[in-house]
Amino acid sequence: MNIAQLSIEKRTISWLFTLILLFGGFFAYQNLGRLEDPEFTLKKAMIVTSYPGASPEQVEQEVTYPIENVIQQLPYVDYVTSISSPGLSQISVEMKSTYRKEALRQIWDELRRKINDLSPTLPAGVYPSKVMDDFGDVYGVLYAISGDDYSYEELENYVDYLRRELVLVEGVGKVTVAGEQKPQVIVEISSHKLAQLGMSANVIYQLLQNQNTVSNAGKVTLEGESIRLHPTGEFKDVSELEDLLISKPGAKEIIYLGDVATVKREYPEIPNNPTHYAGKRTLLLGVSFASGVNVVDIGDKLKQHLVSLEYQRPYGIEINTLYNQPKEVEKSVDDFITSLIQAVSIVIGVLLLFMGFRSGLLIGAVLLITVFGTFIFMLMQQIDLQRISLGALIIALGMLVDNAIVITEGILVGLKKGYSKVKAATVIIEQTKWPLLGATIIAITAFAPIGLSSDATGEFAGSLFYVLLISLLLSWITAITVTPFLASLLFKQSKNDTNTNNDVNADELYKGRFFVLYSKLLKTVLVWPKVTLSIMFMSLLGALVLFGNVKQSFFPPSNTPIFYLDYWRYQGSDIRATEQDITKLEQYLLSKPEVVAVTSTIGQGAPRFMLTYAPEKIHPAYGQLIIRTTNLESLNSLLSEIRTYASENLTNAFIKLKRMEIGPSTDAKIEARFQGSDPETLRLLANQAIAILKQDGAAHNIRHDWRELTKVIRPQFNEQKARRLGISKSDLDNLLLTTLSGRKVGLYREGTRMLPIIARSPASERLNVDSLYDLQIFSPTLGVYLPIEQIVDGFNTEWENNLILRRDRKRTITVMADPDILGEETAANLLKRVKPLIDEIPLPQGYQLEWGGEFESASKAQKAIFGSLPMGYLVMFIITVLLFNSIKKSLIIWATVPLAIIGVTCGLYIMNSPFSFMALLGLLSLSGMLIKNGIVLMDQIELELSQNKDAYDAVFHSALSRLRPVSMAAITTILGMIPLLFDVFFESMAVTIMFGLGFATVLTLLVIPALYSIVFKVKSA
């Protein structure tokens, strides 16, 4: 008993199998996780090290260089970049994309050990390095918390309460806060009063440091009981600091700190990463999710928990949502499910229209059963509902009915020949089950380079392959089991049940205009096969020429109505000046009716609230505005208005507007990296590249990342004079630091917080550039204060590189540019024009040029795909050979694959769609679809020949008999892709598959017969 007979006769088992797939699939769908994008681990960490007082060159040589060296010793490293600026080293390390989340935990531990082992060897004055291996964490919910009449401290207390509460919600991973300003204890010491008393400020600093330290006073044992000793003397309140006795021991005159200084608790004058929402100072609270959770459910729990905490919210404090990933995910999944339902409806409608009510109903039922069954295995394999997996389902829809169509068509033909239902099903399944399995495996293998890629492409888009693997294999199983079972229920036995000779005329089987038209065209092709192939070859050459006019891109921008405005003031700007400029921009944007919300972060980027958002590193001259608009349609006009406003009103700054990205994010679409040792030479090379980009006229946002040179004041320290007076260079540094901005001299313990004690001069004595010569410095040798002129010969102003950037331990300056965000031109087309010109820039010996940006990202992704492509295609070809035991027949089938380029090129050109990375994946997948169709046709030719038919008749009748299955398979796939045309991520893939498959299917039905007739010398009738 074969499987078709078993499925029909054992109805209880068939019903049970069908219902398990249906109801099990429905249950699985309800329990599948929901995400916006596939779960993906960013393989990046940051190492931030402070070296106060050091110049950029000193930071580079004494901190950045040794840390880079130990990082490069790790075998997992892909590349290392660094920024050395005054007093700060910022190093980014990217691990190779082959490592997954589990391996990265161990890698980050090893990285941290390497950095900790290095710390003791770094120069004195270097603070311990901070290794931030959570730099890639995504905080999918981002709240902005503000209050008009509340201080930073009051806001921080409430935010800290929310942080403690929200982290307890099941499914929440981490909670972070941005925009915090740490309070500090300010001791404003009057240098004039100290001079009158002849007292050194160092005495006060030492007292402040020692008085508030925790030290062990021991314990005493009394009658077997151990009692701890804990003397008083610690400060309980900031005001107690003014009562600190600072006079010399034994001195008659008692002097308190309050006699020479004012003590107060306040926030720093120079803020650290201030953040705004709707023009108000705010704190940002980010919530990340645990792995493998349903984001939508956790979003509901967060919302409910916030409602339950409403009684604790002080009146006037507002909680606004900057980004709500659960809401975006819910909308995204709902839209995709709608597209899926539309696609299923389209496919079923096409089947009903072209194959009749009963056949269409049967195949539509098999399709739904297969889709629901796929959900079961997705749940078992922990594949969530997200952009890629849902897109894979829609792509698979048309292919899911291919096998069922072939079986249904065969049963219908068998019934017309007078077979019983069991015999009709048995004959077609026994005839086609292995060719259909081979064709299905080939279609799956076409997507294998995506899923089996070991790098980031495989991690991000791997679910595309696995969903197709599950669904297509399941479609083969349902085709040979459920299809004959349902056919036995829906189809009526043919009246021609006495015909057992299998001699029904083809004219009776294939009636209708479509078959008549095709048969005439096929006869012409078989008469003139060489002419047909010549026409195809010329069409292919024409398509290759036309392909040069198709736009090229990597990934499209998102259709979420959010965009970013990056604001760069001139290098060396104070963060407060940057904040003032950002405030002006906020006011301008908030006056626009199409703007819903404006969030700003100054000094660095915001917490990473979505996978493709890349937060900027620490730069006081940098600010970013995150703007949400009412809808996508209003975006372009608003971007144009902002650009005009910026060019007229913000002449001291560089403005960059950018859309929210779907794919990998880079600093710029076009990046040319020059590497070498001399900063002046690097700047000269960068300026030449910038000149070329400006001359092109279509490039925007042209700049380089070393930015402008900045001024530095260099006091000319006279060491000989200073040494005679007992004054060192560090004494001069401390004097300037204390007088101008403030010096950290100790810590004040306040509950759970450690507040720095900052010593500085009062505002009336604080210096500006014009009064540097008025400074006085204490001489330990003479015991008096002396004018600074006695140890400083003058103050010179010099220029320095404020930023020194490196890549893989080499100094690297990167020239950046973008195509016009408001135009149609893509980065690839712009690069095509400027790259040859920049490549011709003569490089001195020891210097080199590399290309980054979108070009590098696309090259890496394509390399990953094409790396596994030969093996995938080899497997596909071997399967084809095994099916037919013939190299010639396999080559005939494969010869149709390049013909898809004709349709793809025409489709992309007509629809004005770019050839993107997703279009490339679509092109690769086409090969499997076309070979599957070719196998179905070639298998029928083999069958006809095995029945001793004339070669010409075998080819002709095989093509005629496979017309409906092949055409229906293509039509259902093409029309099922229509919903994806309206999704910006899948649009180019949909166009590629629809036009490529449509055109190539027509050619398959003509070219394979023509090639077969030439190769096997089939003579026309």
Side-chain angles (χ1 to χ4, degrees):
M1 183 180 290
N2 60 44
I3 195 160
Q5 187 177 354
L6 182 69
S7 299
I8 294 173
E9 295 181 355
K10 304 291 185 181
R11 294 197 172 194
T12 303
I13 297 174
S14 297
W15 273 118
L16 181 63
F17 179 61
T18 302
L19 293 175
I20 286 173
L21 291 180
L22 277 174
F23 290 103
F26 181 77
F27 172 79
Y29 171 75
Q30 299 295 327
N31 290 276
L32 282 171
R34 284 160 170 78
L35 296 171
E36 185 174 12
D37 290 299
E39 192 169 320
F40 182 82
T41 305
L42 293 169
K43 299 150 186 70
K44 184 176 286 187
M46 282 275 295
I47 300 97
V48 179
T49 312
S50 293
Y51 189 10
S55 68
E57 287 84 359
Q58 289 172 319
V59 170
E60 177 197 26
Q61 294 166 7
E62 300 175 26
V63 178
T64 302
Y65 181 75
I67 292 177
E68 286 177 342
N69 273 347
V70 299
I71 292 173
Q72 289 283 10
Q73 293 171 13
L74 295 172
Y76 327 104
V77 173
D78 187 8
Y79 64 89
V80 178
T81 60
S82 66
I83 302 174
S84 299
S85 56
L88 187 67
S89 167
Q90 301 177 76
I91 301 175
S92 296
V93 54
E94 179 94 12
M95 298 301 170
K96 292 174 183 174
S97 58
T98 53
Y99 296 104
R100 299 295 187 258
K101 180 170 58 177
E102 296 75 18
L104 283 172
R105 293 192 185 101
Q106 182 65 32
I107 291 172
W108 298 142
D109 286 343
E110 192 171 340
L111 172 67
R112 191 173 281 102
R113 288 197 299 272
K114 287 275 189 185
I115 301 300
N116 290 339
D117 292 344
L118 177 71
S119 294
T121 66
L122 295 176
V126 176
Y127 284 32
S129 299
K130 297 177 183 177
V131 180
M132 297 184 289
D133 56 14
D134 59 353
F135 181 71
D137 285 358
V138 177
Y139 297 93
V141 177
L142 198 58
Y143 298 113
I145 298 162
S146 59
D148 287 337
D149 300 320
Y150 288 88
S151 65
Y152 255 128
E153 186 171 5
E154 290 168 326
L155 281 177
E156 283 178 356
N157 289 337
Y158 178 61
V159 168
D160 188 56
Y161 165 74
L162 287 180
R163 173 164 42 185
R164 294 196 307 269
E165 287 290 332
L166 294 182
V167 79
L168 299 176
V169 175
E170 185 182 359
V172 168
K174 295 180 183 178
V175 180
T176 189
V177 179
E180 284 182 299
Q181 305 300 317
K182 294 182 179 179
Q184 53 191 18
V185 176
I186 304 295
V187 181
E188 292 189 339
I189 305 171
S190 171
S191 58
H192 295 322
K193 292 180 179 179
L194 287 180
Q196 291 172 2
L197 295 170
M199 180 181 293
S200 171
N202 289 330
V203 175
I204 299 175
Y205 303 156
Q206 190 171 1
L207 288 170
L208 288 170
Q209 188 172 9
N210 294 335
Q211 188 70 16
N212 207 37
T213 57
V214 174
S215 56
N216 186 11
K219 56 187 176 180
V220 63
T221 304
L222 181 63
E223 297 180 357
E225 182 181 1
S226 179
I227 302 173
R228 188 172 63 87
L229 300 175
H230 188 59
T232 61
E234 297 174 357
F235 302 126
K236 302 297 183 185
D237 189 82
V238 170
S239 60
E240 293 180 11
L241 285 171
E242 292 191 350
D243 298 330
L244 181 65
L245 189 66
I246 62 172
S247 55
K248 293 179 181 179
K252 295 180 180 180
E253 188 177 8
I254 297 176
I255 305 171
Y256 296 98
L257 180 60
D259 296 331
V260 297
T262 302
V263 181
K264 53 189 175 182
R265 183 183 185 279
E266 63 178 32
Y267 287 92
E269 286 185 338
I270 302 176
N272 172 45
N273 184 213
T275 52
H276 299 177
Y277 180 83
K280 305 173 187 175
R281 280 276 183 104
T282 189
L283 294 177
L284 301 180
L285 184 72
V287 180
S288 70
F289 301 105
S291 178
V293 299
N294 187 325
V295 170
V296 177
D297 289 346
I298 306 305
D300 291 337
K301 290 180 182 179
L302 274 175
K303 187 177 180 180
Q304 292 168 9
H305 197 56
L306 279 176
V307 170
S308 70
L309 300 176
E310 187 66 16
Y311 73 98
Q312 285 280 17
R313 181 173 64 88
Y315 180 78
I317 287 184
E318 298 176 355
I319 302 177
N320 294 288
T321 304
L322 165 61
Y323 190 77
N324 189 344
Q325 190 186 62
K327 186 177 178 182
E328 299 290 342
V329 168
E330 188 174 24
K331 181 179 180 300
S332 175
V333 171
D334 287 348
D335 288 346
F336 260 110
I337 293 299
T338 302
S339 297
L340 185 61
I341 293 170
Q342 290 172 348
V344 170
S345 303
I346 290 170
V347 170
I348 293 175
V350 170
L351 293 170
L352 291 172
L353 180 64
F354 287 96
M355 296 198 69
F357 178 76
R358 292 178 184 272
S359 298
L361 187 62
L362 186 154
I363 298 171
V366 172
L367 173 62
L368 288 175
I369 292 166
T370 306
V371 170
F372 276 101
T374 301
F375 290 142
I376 298 174
F377 291 97
M378 286 176 64
L379 182 64
M380 292 170 61
Q381 296 299 316
Q382 298 181 337
I383 300 174
D384 302 314
L385 291 176
Q386 28 80 0
R387 188 195 310 273
I388 302 297
S389 62
L390 285 167
L393 275 175
I394 296 175
I395 292 169
L397 278 181
M399 292 187 285
L400 293 184
V401 298
D402 290 1
N403 295 329
I405 288 173
V406 172
I407 300 298
T408 303
E409 173 79 3
I411 292 173
L412 287 173
V413 170
L415 291 174
K416 286 183 179 180
K417 290 179 179 179
Y419 294 163
S420 67
K421 294 179 184 178
V422 173
K423 184 177 181 181
T426 301
V427 168
I428 188 63
I429 288 175
E430 287 300 311
Q431 174 192 327
T432 61
K433 64 181 179 181
W434 299 123
L436 286 179
L437 177 61
T440 300
I441 292 173
I442 284 174
I444 293 168
T445 308
F447 291 90
I450 304 167
L452 302 181
S453 174
S454 60
D455 78 334
T457 305
E459 186 178 2
F460 184 78
S463 58
L464 182 74
F465 166 70
Y466 290 107
V467 170
L468 285 161
L469 170 68
I470 293 167
S471 59
L472 291 179
L473 280 179
L474 189 58
S475 75
W476 179 77
I477 293 170
T478 54
I480 63 174
T481 56
V482 178
T483 303
F485 166 62
L486 293 180
S488 70
L489 299 177
L490 291 172
F491 291 167
K492 294 180 180 179
Q493 183 68 49
S494 174
K495 294 179 181 179
N496 187 20
D497 55 1
T498 59
N499 183 359
T500 58
N501 297 321
N502 192 17
D503 59 356
V504 179
N505 193 290
D507 293 335
E508 296 179 20
L509 289 174
Y510 305 108
K511 299 176 182 178
R513 296 178 184 176
F514 193 50
F515 284 103
V516 172
L517 178 64
Y518 174 64
S519 63
K520 289 180 179 178
L521 184 60
L522 182 60
K523 287 177 182 177
T524 305
V525 167
L526 292 176
V527 172
W528 305 99
K530 293 182 180 179
V531 174
T532 301
L533 294 180
S534 299
I535 293 172
M536 293 301 104
F537 182 72
M538 295 304 295
S539 300
L540 181 61
L541 290 179
L544 292 173
V545 173
L546 181 63
F547 191 78
N549 296 319
V550 173
K551 294 189 296 184
Q552 308 284 316
S553 75
F554 189 34
F555 279 102
S558 170
N559 53 9
T560 304
I562 292 178
F563 69 95
Y564 310 117
L565 189 156
D566 285 348
Y567 180 87
W568 291 91
R569 215 167 184 271
Y570 61 84
Q571 189 62 19
S573 294
D574 189 285
I575 194 171
R576 291 166 291 186
T578 307
E579 186 176 16
Q580 290 173 2
D581 291 351
I582 292 292
T583 302
K584 294 176 184 176
L585 272 169
E586 288 170 341
Q587 293 170 352
Y588 168 75
L589 288 167
L590 290 169
S591 67
K592 297 291 180 181
E594 57 266 49
V595 172
V596 175
V598 178
T599 306
S600 306
T601 173
I602 300 103
Q604 64 186 71
R608 191 188 300 271
F609 59 90
M610 63 180 300
L611 185 64
T612 56
Y613 174 76
E616 187 59 64
K617 299 180 181 67
I618 300 170
H619 294 284
Y622 172 79
Q624 184 181 65
L625 291 87
I626 304 169
I627 303 112
R628 180 182 282 273
T629 60
T630 51
N631 51 59
L632 195 63
E633 290 70 29
S634 61
L635 211 59
N636 279 352
S637 60
L638 183 60
L639 290 171
S640 178
E641 292 175 20
I642 294 172
R643 179 184 286 178
T644 303
Y645 173 83
S647 63
E648 294 173 354
N649 299 277
L650 301 169
T651 54
N652 279 339
F654 165 78
I655 301 290
K656 178 180 176 180
L657 299 166
K658 55 184 181 181
R659 296 272 302 275
M660 183 178 278
E661 297 281 347
I662 292 179
S665 178
T666 55
D667 289 338
K669 297 293 185 184
I670 295 174
E671 295 180 358
R673 296 194 290 258
F674 293 95
Q675 294 184 320
S677 57
D678 180 47
E680 289 188 12
T681 305
L682 288 175
R683 285 183 178 273
L684 181 63
L685 293 171
N687 288 335
Q688 292 180 56
I690 287 173
I692 292 171
L693 288 165
K694 287 182 176 178
Q695 189 175 4
D696 182 82
H700 286 68
N701 307 325
I702 304 169
R703 74 274 189 205
H704 64 70
D705 56 0
W706 282 45
R707 310 202 69 227
E708 302 89 353
L709 294 170
T710 58
K711 296 183 283 290
V712 58
I713 298 174
R714 301 290 304 273
Q716 304 300 300
F717 180 66
N718 190 318
E719 189 175 351
Q720 293 182 350
K721 291 181 181 179
R723 185 167 298 205
R724 288 198 296 267
L725 296 171
I727 299 171
S728 66
K729 180 180 178 296
S730 63
D731 293 331
L732 175 62
D733 290 340
N734 289 333
L735 171 69
L736 293 168
L737 179 64
T738 305
T739 307
L740 295 170
S741 54
R743 173 190 173 192
K744 180 181 174 182
V745 295
L747 290 172
Y748 177 81
R749 294 196 308 281
E750 184 182 72
T752 59
R753 292 193 288 192
M754 305 291 286
L755 308 185
I757 300 174
I758 305 296
R760 71 184 186 199
S761 299
S764 58
E765 297 181 17
R766 220 167 301 159
L767 297 177
N768 54 42
V769 176
D770 297 329
S771 56
L772 283 172
Y773 286 101
D774 296 337
L775 276 175
Q776 291 189 328
I777 190 167
F778 185 78
S779 168
T781 303
L782 302 179
V784 295
Y785 279 84
L786 302 172
I788 198 173
E789 289 177 287
Q790 294 203 17
I791 61 165
V792 172
D793 295 335
F795 294 88
N796 295 346
T797 301
E798 299 177 2
W799 294 91
E800 70 172 358
N801 288 295
N802 195 260
L803 300 174
I804 299 176
L805 284 83
R806 297 157 62 93
R807 185 181 178 92
D808 291 334
R809 295 181 294 173
K810 297 178 183 178
R811 286 180 173 175
T812 305
I813 190 168
T814 304
V815 177
M816 296 175 281
D818 298 284
D820 188 359
I821 191 174
L822 301 176
E824 288 291 321
E825 183 159 47
T826 62
N829 290 343
L830 176 59
L831 181 67
K832 192 186 298 184
R833 292 198 304 272
V834 300
K835 187 176 183 294
L837 300 175
I838 294 177
D839 284 337
E840 290 177 359
I841 295 175
L843 301 177
Q845 189 173 1
Y847 289 75
Q848 62 189 65
L849 167 64
E850 293 179 352
W851 288 94
E854 190 176 279
F855 173 79
E856 183 179 48
S857 298
S859 299
K860 284 183 177 180
Q862 290 169 8
K863 182 181 178 182
I865 294 296
F866 287 113
S868 53
L869 194 63
M871 183 58 68
Y873 273 32
L874 179 61
V875 170
M876 292 164 66
F877 185 75
I878 290 173
I879 293 172
T880 314
V881 173
L882 292 175
L883 283 173
F884 298 105
N885 192 30
S886 169
I887 296 291
K888 288 183 179 180
K889 293 173 183 176
S890 300
L891 290 175
I892 289 172
I893 293 171
W894 276 80
T896 62
V897 173
L899 301 177
I901 296 174
I902 302 171
V904 170
T905 303
C906 294
L908 292 172
Y909 186 78
I910 292 168
M911 300 295 289
N912 195 31
S913 295
F915 185 73
S916 64
F917 181 70
M918 294 306 294
L920 173 63
L921 298 186
L923 182 61
L924 296 179
S925 67
L926 270 176
S927 58
M929 299 178 191
L930 295 176
I931 292 168
K932 187 177 182 181
N933 288 341
I935 287 173
V936 170
L937 177 54
M938 187 64 72
D939 180 65
Q940 186 64 31
I941 295 174
E942 289 280 284
L943 179 65
E944 300 270 350
L945 289 173
S946 68
Q947 295 173 353
N948 298 319
K949 285 191 176 181
D950 177 71
Y952 176 85
D953 290 337
V955 172
F956 181 80
H957 290 137
S958 296
L960 202 60
S961 67
R962 294 298 110 190
L963 174 63
R964 183 155 58 180
V966 170
S967 300
M968 288 306 304
I971 290 170
T972 51
T973 301
I974 291 166
L975 297 183
M977 300 286 287
I978 288 175
L980 289 185
L981 288 175
F982 305 100
D983 183 275
V984 67
F985 185 74
F986 284 103
E987 179 199 358
S988 60
M989 174 185 268
V991 170
T992 299
I993 292 177
M994 290 173 73
F995 281 84
L997 182 60
F999 193 80
T1001 298
V1002 174
L1003 298 183
T1004 299
L1005 291 167
L1006 299 175
V1007 171
I1008 286 182
L1011 274 172
Y1012 192 95
S1013 66
I1014 292 175
V1015 172
F1016 291 98
K1017 299 180 173 57
V1018 177
K1019 295 181 179 180
S1020 60

